Amino acid sequence: MGAVPGRTLVWHIWSPPDVEASEDFPATAQGGPVTHPCAERNVIDKQVLRAELRQRRRDHVAAIPAMQRGLLFRRPPEAIVRLIPEGSVIGVYHEMPDEAPAGHYARWFHERGHRIALPRFADRAAPMQFREWGNPFLEDLLEPDPFKSHQPTASSAELAPSVLFCPLVGFSSRGDRLGLGAGHYDRWLASNRVDLAIGLAWDCQLVNDLPTEPHDRPLDAVITPTRLYGPF
């Protein structure tokens, strides 16, 4: 529903003698990969892929009528709901512009008796914590965070989500996740056990293959407006 197809990105991994690196081959208008005479000059890092995917996401969201956007991500798929025990603490995020919205999920779970947690940062260099959003129908309970979004106040109860809905820049059909690059979610997931880590994404954020590193934590599922990938 409302999907706007984006270009397919195909990643090829090339390893020079002493550095492991990746190449990005964006698809041409005819569907074939762009090739270059010198592969070494076109080895790019994740940041370039992030820039490509963020622009793709902006274009995708801008093409969806506002009324239609309001009907998307209203509630989690039943296949996911069945996996979540009653009373589980649900971690969500306060979406930035063009991110797949998590607010409807927060309110849906809140109405069913779940406590809702949002990330909180004491400052830009601080580790990510989760604090309670006592009523996700009330934005006034939140304050600005260091990243131009919103977060619970310092006096809110600290919570440890057992189910975490994560933002992302890109994902693969296997559950690989590309985030914004700060590593907040990878570090938090490495230090905290969760039953489910689930990505929310627009369909255009799907990538055939993503470059991954040992610290990257794959997702258990990814939800888009048209499909459920997983649970894996």
Side-chain angles (χ1 to χ4, degrees):
M1 179 177 180
V4 179
R7 292 186 296 148
T8 299
L9 292 182
V10 182
W11 276 77
H12 301 267
I13 305 303
W14 172 77
S15 296
D18 57 348
V19 179
E20 184 174 335
S22 302
E23 296 176 67
D24 181 32
F25 289 84
T28 64
Q30 291 74 34
V34 175
T35 57
H36 305 280
C38 181
E40 184 174 357
R41 290 200 303 269
N42 292 281
V43 174
I44 64 172
D45 59 18
K46 287 183 177 180
Q47 202 58 34
V48 176
L49 177 58
R50 286 188 182 95
E52 162 71 22
L53 288 170
R54 292 177 77 170
Q55 183 60 54
R56 179 197 289 187
R57 184 177 65 184
R58 281 192 291 270
D59 295 343
H60 176 92
V61 173
I64 304 174
M67 181 179 298
Q68 189 172 346
R69 286 202 305 270
L71 299 175
L72 303 176
F73 296 102
R74 298 293 299 186
R75 57 153 293 166
E78 188 60 32
I80 294 296
V81 173
R82 288 196 297 266
L83 300 176
I84 300 176
E86 291 186 14
S88 298
V89 175
I90 307 297
V92 296
Y93 56 94
H94 197 280
E95 62 268 12
M96 302 284 281
D98 303 327
E99 286 184 331
H104 291 311
Y105 280 26
R107 292 184 281 275
W108 191 90
F109 281 110
H110 174 75
E111 288 181 325
R112 285 151 184 82
H114 294 269
R115 298 177 77 181
I116 306 301
L118 278 178
R120 177 178 170 79
F121 300 89
D123 55 55
R124 292 183 69 90
M128 183 171 71
Q129 299 179 327
F130 280 89
R131 300 280 179 138
E132 185 167 19
W133 188 5
N135 186 341
F137 288 91
L138 299 177
E139 292 279 329
D140 292 347
L141 299 179
L142 305 177
E143 64 182 17
D145 75 359
F147 303 101
K148 299 182 180 180
S149 186
H150 290 83
Q151 64 183 10
T153 62
S155 61
S156 301
E158 187 170 355
L159 296 178
S162 56
V163 177
L164 183 58
F165 290 93
C166 307
L168 53 83
V169 175
F171 72 97
S172 76
S173 59
R174 299 185 302 274
D176 299 317
R177 173 184 175 270
L178 183 69
L180 286 172
H184 295 303
Y185 280 84
D186 286 325
R187 286 193 295 273
W188 192 90
L189 287 167
S191 302
N192 297 269
R193 183 184 179 278
V194 297
D195 296 328
L196 291 170
I198 302 167
L200 298 182
W202 302 106
D203 293 283
C204 68
Q205 294 175 265
L206 174 65
V207 179
N208 281 357
D209 195 17
L210 283 177
T212 59
E213 300 175 66
H215 65 265
D216 291 332
R217 204 284 197 183
L219 298 165
D220 297 300
V222 179
I223 301 168
T224 77
T226 66
R227 283 194 62 179
L228 169 61
Y229 296 84
F232 304 107

